Amino acid sequence: MTALLGDQNQGSHVLNWDDRLARRTHALGGSEITAILSLAGATDVITFSGGFPEPSLFQTQVLADIAARLIADEPGVALQYAATEGLASVRTYVAGRLAAAEGRTPAAAELMITSGGIDCMELLAKSYIDPGDVVVVEGPTYLGGLMAFRGYEADVRAVPLDDDGMRVDVLADLLAGGLRPKIVYTIPDYQNPTGLSLSAERRRELVDLARRYGFLILEDVAYRELGFGAGAPGPAAPPSMWSLAPDVVLQAGTFSKIFSPGFRMGWAAGPADVVGRLVIAKQNSDQCAGALGQRMMEEYGRGGHMDRQIAASRELYARRARLTTEALTAHMPDGATWTTPAGGFYVWLTCPEGVDTVALSAAARAQKVAYVPGRPFYLDDAGAGGNQIRLAYCRVADHLIDEGIRRIADVVKSAL
Ligand SMILES: Cc1ncc(COP(=O)(O)O)c(C=O)c1O
């Protein structure tokens, strides 16, 4: 990036801002997320690209009423700075939700409100990662998590997934071989980008490894409450790792997928020492999550609207997931395989060998359909994901799913 530097005596010369970037930015991608977000407003494209909640689920009138009431009745709280760890009433509300869902109530010092799930990752990396520290992630994994750790020059290593989630046996071998991660990042429920979940047995094994080798598990539960089965994440769902081992697990939660990402609201629950460090780190980033958003989320939840929205969300996303896999069955060529999600926002499609899904995305755009190619979800050096695609069905209208998948299938077939 360049700019013209004016100088009255010497005219202007071109200043290269890229030369002045901090070294740590070199490992930072970001273009993929920018591309996903920039497509957000496109109306003529069937877009399977972003993990955006379906906007018709937003309860606009309820929210307008809550906002008007809070602004009129409590401007001294709702329009003011908040404590860095979050407003007390909001933390009590979130602690109650955790108690109901996970059977464990965090102590006051074990819970903070964050500005979304990504904030928790950023604060954790900022507080604990020195250049070269090892962080283990799932391969493939959420782009934002990769960026948070790379942003602090972590040595990020990937462990593959299978149908039961992260291959904890592969991690165990790496640990036995001497690898010493500070953090292991996992998305155990309906993972982004694969839709796969970590089995109950592996959750226990991972917790055992964390205690034995002394690393922190960062458990990202962004989609945990969006299971399609009856009562998920009720007693039948595998336990959260935070509920199993609050001594070695930091849970990063978000209200983006079950409420609204516009609020930038989430939580972090974990060991008091770790949460305390995140609070200090937050003091010199955004200082606090916005009070108006915190109170609106709390009022919305206490009024029962969150539970109703989650129930409606599960039903809607379950239907879209089914329509997506049915369309894949109808249109994809032989040799293509895909995951069948039991919750969340994503189907992970593996095209026949040799198909380059990055190269095909331009052809897809020409057909007015968009997806995210698989490659950026892996570490660059692994070279994996070249024939894979993440399909986010969450925000594609029911009646467009079949047509959108047919267009993607046509593009894939044209490459065979
Ligand atoms: C796995 C996962 N974690 C965290 C987030 C971040 O959500 P937010 O920062 O909006 O809370 C996302 C968003 O796509 C996600 O997919």
Side-chain angles (χ1 to χ4, degrees), residues 175-222:
L175 294 165
L179 192 73
R180 290 293 173 268
K182 266 191 183 168
I183 295 167
V184 172
Y185 171 55
T186 176
I187 309 160
D189 311 287
Y190 325 119
Q191 199 237 21
N192 179 2
T194 63
L196 298 167
S197 297
L198 190 63
S199 69
E201 191 184 346
R202 288 191 188 172
R203 289 171 195 237
R204 293 200 165 79
E205 289 165 4
L206 185 53
V207 160
D208 288 346
L209 291 173
R211 288 186 174 138
R212 178 153 156 221
Y213 289 98
F215 57 80
L216 183 77
I217 299 171
L218 174 59
E219 171 188 56
D220 181 341
V221 293

Side-chain angles (χ1 to χ4, degrees), residues 12 25 38-39 58 68 71 116 135 147 151 175 203 274 294 351 369:
S12 9
T25 63
S38 69
L39 258 183
F58 301 150
I71 290 167
V135 174
M147 284 176 67
L175 294 165
R203 289 171 195 237
V274 176
Q294 288 189 50
C351 298
V369 66

Side-chain angles (χ1 to χ4, degrees), residues 304-363:
H305 304 292
M306 187 92 70
D307 289 345
R308 281 192 284 280
Q309 183 174 338
I310 290 172
S313 302
R314 284 182 187 155
E315 196 183 314
L316 181 140
Y317 298 130
R319 188 173 67 244
R320 289 189 178 167
R322 180 176 50 74
L323 291 171
T324 302
T325 51
E326 283 172 5
L328 288 164
T329 305
H331 301 300
M332 276 293 153
D334 286 348
T337 58
W338 51 88
T339 56
T340 302
F345 281 8
Y346 311 106
V347 168
W348 186 238
L349 168 65
T350 302
C351 298
E353 258 339 294
V355 172
D356 179 346
T357 58
V358 173
L360 282 188
S361 44

Side-chain angles (χ1 to χ4, degrees), residues 116-118 121 142 185 187 192 220 222-223 254 256-257 264 346:
I118 193 79
M121 288 167 223
Y142 167 53
Y185 171 55
I187 309 160
N192 179 2
D220 181 341
Y223 303 94
T254 176
S256 288
K257 315 296 181 179
R264 313 305 305 129
Y346 311 106

